[in-house]
Amino acid sequence: MDKNSLIGLLLIGAIIVTFSIYNRPSQEQLAAQKRKQDSIQLVEAERARLEVAQRTTDSLTSVPEEQGSVDSFFSASKSAISSSDSMSVSKLDSVYSLPEKEQLIVLENNKIKLKLSTKGGVIHSVMLKDFLRYNKDNLYFWEGDEANFNLELYNRNSVKLSTENLYFTPIISSDQNSVIMRLESSPAQYIDFVYTLPEDEYMMRFEIRVVGMSDGLHPESLRNFKLNWQQKLRQQEKGESFERRYARIMYKYQNQGVEKMNPNKSDSKELTEPVQWFAFKDQYFTTVVIPDKSFNTTILHSDDILTGNYLKNYRAEAMVPVSVDEADDAYYAGFRYYFGPVHYYTLKAYDKGIDNDSDKLLLHEQVDLGYRWLSWVNKWFVLPIFNLLRNQGLTMGLIILILTLLVKLIILPLTYKSFTSTAKMRVLRPQIQEIEKKYPGQDQEMMMKRQKETMELYSKAGVSPMSGCLPMLLQMPILLALFFFFPSAIELRQQGFLWADDLSTYDSIIQWSGNIPLVTRFMGNHISLFCLLMTIVNVWYSTYNMKMADTGQAQMAGMKYMPIFMAVFMFFILNSYPAGLNYYYLLSTLITMIVTFVFQKTLDEDKLLAQLEENKKKPKKKSGFMARLEEAQKMQEKQARERAKENAKKNYRR
């Protein structure tokens, strides 16, 4: 390239650069151009969205071959908006807008506080105002994604339309006790979740209303709403392993009793019969879902959660029958939700005024009062007395003391009869020892002779060995009933006494970390002081009682120390049980010891022995028991003689 050509190219380049700089638009012009391009893009995007929404809305009426999406169906226009190129962005925004983030609406009374979320229209959190968690935090049933609820509908192409991730619009009543969460397709097509919370109640009202969608929904969705519930069960009590034992799903078939799922492992049940209600239950709190019309089909799942501050993961899938209002093209289902304590009288009150047994909810059956043959003791004796004393404003420690005294007073005649029976056999001990010397040895023949002559002595003296055991058996229902009562009594929860700050759980004086084989499994990583004191007193009383109950009869070596072994064994069993239960057992044993000492001091054994000797002189009619016992002894002697003859024959043949 020559010199002139190079100069020409440089001049042309300079002219182009100078022209570009001179004709460059200003900053104001650039901003205006950008706004114009953004406006065009927004209009085009809105036009595309409305076209998708319109196609989905048309799928409800004309049922096209293409299947619509969940979002496109439920985000259809609230009104008939015809998009056009000339429509401005501001016009679109003023006519139609969707919430961009979750909003929480508070619904509360003096017992519970609910937060409702616009996302999914669900209950975001449930808090009880009168109760605290074991660490004194507010007691929440759940918060946020710890629980989930959604309604599943299907269009005529069987496309699932779920509500869980869609945004609802809240409509709050003037009295502030009701909130409608509305998911609107158009003013004539919408889904309402209606929450109503009465004053001073744990029970709230919930309704689902589907309006104006009959032409587009699948016929099955118009007959039954499919509902999904899920809830992670929070740990609310200090004794996590013990609380887990009482955490379970419970349910009631229509016209039948209350059933429960296995709390000790993951469990699933498919219930094809009508279900009147189901409950996600903790030790002291429960969530109950009660439909106006019993669920047709219910699938329940309970899974253990072994990490974090959770015990269980509960899930339910249920089909609920739909009621129809043809005039308004409305399909609806009603429910009641109970968020509250597992308190016997609170739950039982919901059956007040219901005469028909088949209509009763029996929610109070969630309170574990023991086996059916024991629960009557708690229902008709323990609970009324306990409730009466509590209404007097007494402290829980004093209430348990008074209850223990009443129980001991009721069974006092049985205790006295058992004591006198043992005393009668004790004063006959020298005569029993003479029989032992008369028939020494452990061969079967000698043992049978000793037993026969011992029973003859008892019969002549008017002593029945079983009369000491029978009173103990008769008082067992009361003792066992109280064993079930204390771990289920929410009245004990966070009630302190002496060193125990919560009688509903263990009162640990020593704690440790780590896993000690067998010990941790049965005792946990702690030692309960009330349980330790109860064990010490029981061991001492068992040792004393063994001496008092020595009748002179030979016993197996192991059987002699069985009461002491059982007292120690119960320490490992009861160490994780509520301090209130161990306090009751401690009081019960102490009162029994005092009563025994009083009986011992007031009993004249010489006079008792003289009375028994007089009985020997009287003709004695044998009781039915003694007659059967002698008959059994004769049969044993006969069998022993026959075996001896057989053995002699075998030895002779050899």
Side-chain angles (χ1 to χ4, degrees):
M1 181 180 295
D2 59 4
K3 182 179 179 180
N4 292 331
S5 298
L6 180 61
I7 292 172
L9 290 174
L10 290 174
L11 289 172
I12 292 171
I15 292 170
I16 292 172
V17 170
T18 302
F19 183 82
S20 299
I21 293 173
Y22 180 77
N23 288 281
R24 183 177 63 184
S26 64
Q27 293 296 327
E28 291 79 5
Q29 291 174 323
L30 288 173
Q33 186 177 4
K34 186 176 187 304
R35 286 195 298 270
K36 182 179 179 180
Q37 290 175 345
D38 291 343
S39 298
I40 293 171
Q41 290 176 356
L42 285 172
V43 170
E44 290 296 328
E46 184 64 12
R47 182 193 301 164
R49 185 182 61 78
L50 290 173
E51 288 175 354
V52 172
Q54 186 62 44
R55 286 198 301 271
T56 308
T57 305
D58 292 341
S59 70
L60 292 175
T61 57
S62 59
V63 195
E65 293 182 359
E66 300 88 357
Q67 292 185 351
S69 68
V70 175
D71 292 338
S72 66
F73 170 73
F74 282 106
S75 61
S77 297
K78 293 184 178 180
S79 60
I81 302 174
S82 56
S83 62
S84 64
D85 294 341
S86 62
M87 184 175 290
S88 67
V89 176
S90 60
K91 178 67 174 175
L92 282 172
D93 289 342
S94 65
V95 174
Y96 181 85
S97 64
L98 287 174
E100 295 182 354
K101 64 179 182 179
E102 182 181 24
Q103 301 175 24
L104 300 179
I105 310 299
V106 175
L107 186 62
E108 64 182 324
N109 59 21
N110 61 342
K111 290 187 179 295
I112 62 178
K113 180 179 181 180
L114 307 174
K115 289 184 180 179
L116 307 177
S117 172
T118 55
K119 184 179 180 180
V122 299
I123 301 175
H124 177 271
S125 66
V126 179
M127 185 190 81
L128 295 189
K129 294 185 175 182
D130 295 335
F131 299 91
L132 296 174
R133 198 165 175 259
Y134 74 91
N135 59 1
K136 306 306 179 184
D137 287 345
N138 289 329
L139 194 150
Y140 282 89
F141 278 55
W142 70 77
E143 288 184 281
D145 59 2
E146 293 175 340
N148 187 32
F149 165 83
N150 73 80
L151 167 67
E152 289 185 9
L153 300 174
Y154 291 83
N155 67 14
R156 291 183 180 274
N157 286 334
S158 298
V159 175
K160 182 173 74 172
L161 310 170
S162 181
T163 61
E164 58 184 326
N165 293 317
L166 303 172
Y167 287 91
F168 288 63
T169 301
I171 304 172
I172 304 173
S173 67
S174 58
D175 57 7
Q176 303 290 312
N177 71 345
S178 180
V179 175
I180 298 175
M181 288 291 184
R182 176 162 292 180
L183 184 66
E184 190 173 285
S185 174
S186 73
Q189 293 181 312
Y190 54 87
I191 295 174
D192 281 350
F193 292 167
V194 185
Y195 299 91
T196 304
L197 183 61
E199 289 294 327
D200 199 34
E201 264 288 352
Y202 293 111
M203 188 83 77
M204 71 173 296
R205 181 74 183 168
F206 174 63
E207 292 183 2
I208 299 174
R209 301 172 185 168
V210 177
V211 179
M213 297 184 178
S214 58
D215 291 339
L217 292 178
H218 194 283
E220 181 56 34
S221 288
L222 300 177
R223 287 191 293 266
N224 296 278
F225 289 157
K226 183 178 180 182
L227 311 173
N228 297 307
W229 282 272
Q230 177 268 330
Q231 178 188 341
K232 286 184 179 179
L233 192 70
R234 286 187 170 194
Q235 178 190 345
Q236 308 288 8
E237 313 304 327
K238 182 172 71 172
E240 180 266 337
S241 61
F242 195 81
E243 183 182 8
R244 192 180 293 273
R245 300 182 198 177
Y246 287 84
R248 64 195 64 173
I249 293 180
M250 303 186 73
Y251 57 92
K252 181 183 181 299
Y253 286 120
Q254 188 176 351
N255 301 326
Q256 297 184 41
V258 177
E259 305 288 342
K260 59 186 177 183
M261 293 174 63
N262 193 331
N264 301 317
K265 64 177 183 179
S266 296
D267 195 9
S268 296
K269 286 188 180 295
E270 181 173 357
L271 314 176
T272 56
E273 297 181 29
V275 173
Q276 196 170 1
W277 55 262
F278 66 81
F280 292 163
K281 179 183 173 296
D282 194 358
Q283 184 176 3
Y284 294 122
F285 304 96
T286 184
T287 299
V288 189
V289 181
I290 311 164
D292 292 347
K293 295 182 178 180
S294 296
F295 293 117
N296 287 332
T297 303
T298 312
I299 302 174
L300 302 172
H301 305 272
S302 175
D303 300 309
D304 284 329
I305 301 178
L306 302 178
T307 58
N309 293 319
Y310 302 102
L311 304 175
K312 304 276 186 178
N313 185 34
Y314 292 143
R315 290 176 292 133
E317 304 169 31
M319 302 292 289
V320 62
V322 174
S323 299
V324 183
D325 184 348
E326 295 182 356
D328 294 333
D329 192 20
Y331 296 80
Y332 57 92
F335 305 83
R336 283 179 289 170
Y337 286 165
Y338 177 85
F339 304 115
V342 184
H343 180 258
Y344 185 84
Y345 290 110
T346 300
L347 294 170
K348 190 176 178 62
Y350 291 107
D351 286 333
K352 188 177 181 180
I354 301 177
D355 298 326
N356 190 351
D357 289 342
S358 62
D359 294 332
K360 290 184 177 180
L361 294 173
L362 304 182
L363 296 177
H364 59 277
E365 294 293 334
Q366 294 179 78
V367 183
D368 189 354
L369 296 179
Y371 304 110
R372 294 191 182 278
W373 58 275
L374 279 176
S375 60
W376 65 269
V377 178
N378 284 323
K379 289 179 181 179
W380 304 112
F381 170 67
V382 178
L383 273 170
I385 294 176
F386 197 87
N387 195 55
L388 176 64
L389 295 174
R390 189 164 179 259
N391 290 336
Q392 304 304 313
L394 302 178
T395 63
M396 198 56 62
L398 185 57
I399 290 174
I400 295 176
L401 172 60
I402 295 173
L403 182 65
T404 309
L405 289 171
L406 287 174
V407 170
K408 287 299 179 182
L409 184 62
I410 291 172
I411 64 176
L412 184 62
L414 300 177
T415 305
Y416 181 73
K417 188 171 181 61
S418 178
F419 173 81
T420 54
S421 176
T422 303
K424 288 177 181 179
M425 290 189 289
R426 185 172 63 252
V427 297
L428 292 175
R429 179 164 52 194
Q431 299 178 45
I432 297 296
Q433 290 174 340
E434 289 297 323
I435 296 174
E436 294 285 338
K437 293 178 182 179
K438 184 177 179 181
Y439 301 104
Q442 296 299 319
D443 61 278
Q444 190 172 9
E445 184 177 357
M446 286 295 180
M447 290 174 62
M448 291 183 65
K449 288 181 178 180
R450 279 201 307 270
Q451 187 179 19
K452 180 181 179 181
E453 193 159 332
T454 299
M455 296 309 298
E456 288 178 353
L457 172 62
Y458 285 155
S459 178
K460 291 177 180 179
V463 176
S464 174
M466 287 300 295
S467 62
C469 300
L470 187 59
M472 292 298 297
L473 293 176
L474 292 176
Q475 62 181 293
M476 283 303 291
I478 296 178
L479 299 177
L480 289 175
L482 290 167
F483 175 81
F484 286 102
F485 170 76
F486 281 101
S488 300
I490 193 173
E491 293 87 350
L492 270 67
R493 189 177 186 272
Q494 297 183 358
Q495 297 295 312
F497 179 66
L498 297 178
W499 56 83
D501 57 0
D502 187 349
L503 289 172
S504 70
T505 188
Y506 57 83
D507 55 318
S508 56
I509 55 167
I510 300 175
Q511 298 188 68
W512 61 87
S513 59
N515 179 45
I516 302 177
L518 295 179
V519 174
T520 298
R521 179 180 178 183
F522 291 99
M523 289 179 53
N525 290 345
H526 65 274
I527 292 178
S528 170
L529 182 54
F530 268 127
C531 187
L532 181 63
L533 292 176
M534 181 268 298
T535 302
I536 293 172
V537 172
N538 260 333
V539 169
W540 188 87
Y541 179 65
S542 297
T543 304
Y544 171 80
N545 218 28
M546 282 167 49
K547 297 177 181 178
M548 296 298 297
D550 185 6
T551 61
Q553 290 180 279
Q555 297 183 25
M556 295 175 60
M559 292 299 295
K560 182 178 180 180
Y561 297 99
M562 182 60 69
I564 297 177
F565 170 78
M566 287 301 300
V568 175
F569 176 75
M570 291 305 294
F571 170 75
F572 291 92
I573 299 298
L574 297 175
N575 188 61
S576 293
Y577 272 72
L581 178 65
N582 286 311
Y583 169 54
Y584 163 75
Y585 281 148
L586 173 63
L587 289 175
S588 180
T589 306
L590 287 173
I591 293 172
T592 301
M593 290 172 57
I594 293 171
V595 170
T596 302
F597 292 150
V598 171
F599 287 165
Q600 183 68 26
K601 292 297 182 181
T602 57
L603 180 69
D604 188 338
E605 293 193 355
D606 293 334
K607 186 176 180 180
L608 180 62
L609 179 59
Q611 180 184 346
L612 295 179
E613 292 297 333
E614 286 295 321
N615 289 342
K616 291 182 182 180
K617 301 175 182 178
K618 300 177 183 178
K620 188 71 175 177
K621 181 180 179 180
K622 294 181 181 179
S623 65
F625 171 77
M626 293 300 297
R628 288 191 296 272
L629 188 60
E630 288 189 8
E631 185 65 27
Q633 287 177 338
K634 291 178 181 179
M635 183 63 68
Q636 288 179 345
E637 290 176 358
K638 182 179 179 180
Q639 292 174 350
R641 287 193 296 269
E642 290 177 353
R643 284 195 295 270
K645 289 180 181 179
E646 289 293 330
N647 291 333
K649 289 181 180 179
K650 290 179 181 179
N651 293 332
Y652 176 77
R653 290 171 184 172
R654 292 175 182 173

